[in-house]
Amino acid sequence: MKLILKLFCAPVIFVLWIITGLCNLMIRLSSVALFFVAMLFALAAVLKLAEGFTASAIVGFLVAFLLSPFGLPMAATLILARFYGLRYWLQDKVYGL
């Protein structure tokens, strides 16, 4: 019975390994790209603030924060951490590693 469980869970663990690896790569690449876009939004928000458009500046700063490494990439990293936890939990329960 334990052998059947190991054979059933091996492809699931492999797929989780592939998914976490690809997602990790995508998060790293998108964090770098979004950082530069966030800087552009922050600069535009500063210029809008200097012109006196406070509401537009606040929206610009909010978008810059969401695109920065502390916004959406951090949320994606937290979700990816759940996939890592699932994979390691499954490996520990099935294989006892």
Side-chain angles (χ1 to χ4, degrees), residues 5 19 26 32 35 38 49-51 57-58 61 76 78 82 88:
L5 183 64
I19 288 173
M26 288 189 310
V32 171
F35 173 75
L49 191 60
E51 291 176 0
I58 291 173
F61 284 129
L78 292 174
R82 298 292 182 180
Y88 289 130

Side-chain angles (χ1 to χ4, degrees), residues 14-82:
F14 179 71
V15 168
L16 283 173
W17 177 68
I18 295 292
I19 288 173
T20 54
L22 289 175
C23 288
N24 196 5
L25 178 66
M26 288 189 310
I27 287 173
R28 287 178 188 228
L29 292 176
S30 69
S31 291
V32 171
L34 289 177
F35 173 75
F36 292 115
V37 176
M39 283 295 153
L40 290 175
F41 270 99
L43 180 63
V46 167
L47 293 175
K48 286 291 185 181
L49 191 60
E51 291 176 0
F53 298 110
T54 309
S56 297
I58 291 173
V59 169
F61 284 129
L62 182 65
V63 170
F65 174 74
L66 287 176
L67 295 178
S68 73
F70 299 108
L72 295 176
M74 184 60 70
T77 303
L78 292 174
I79 293 170
L80 182 63
R82 298 292 182 180

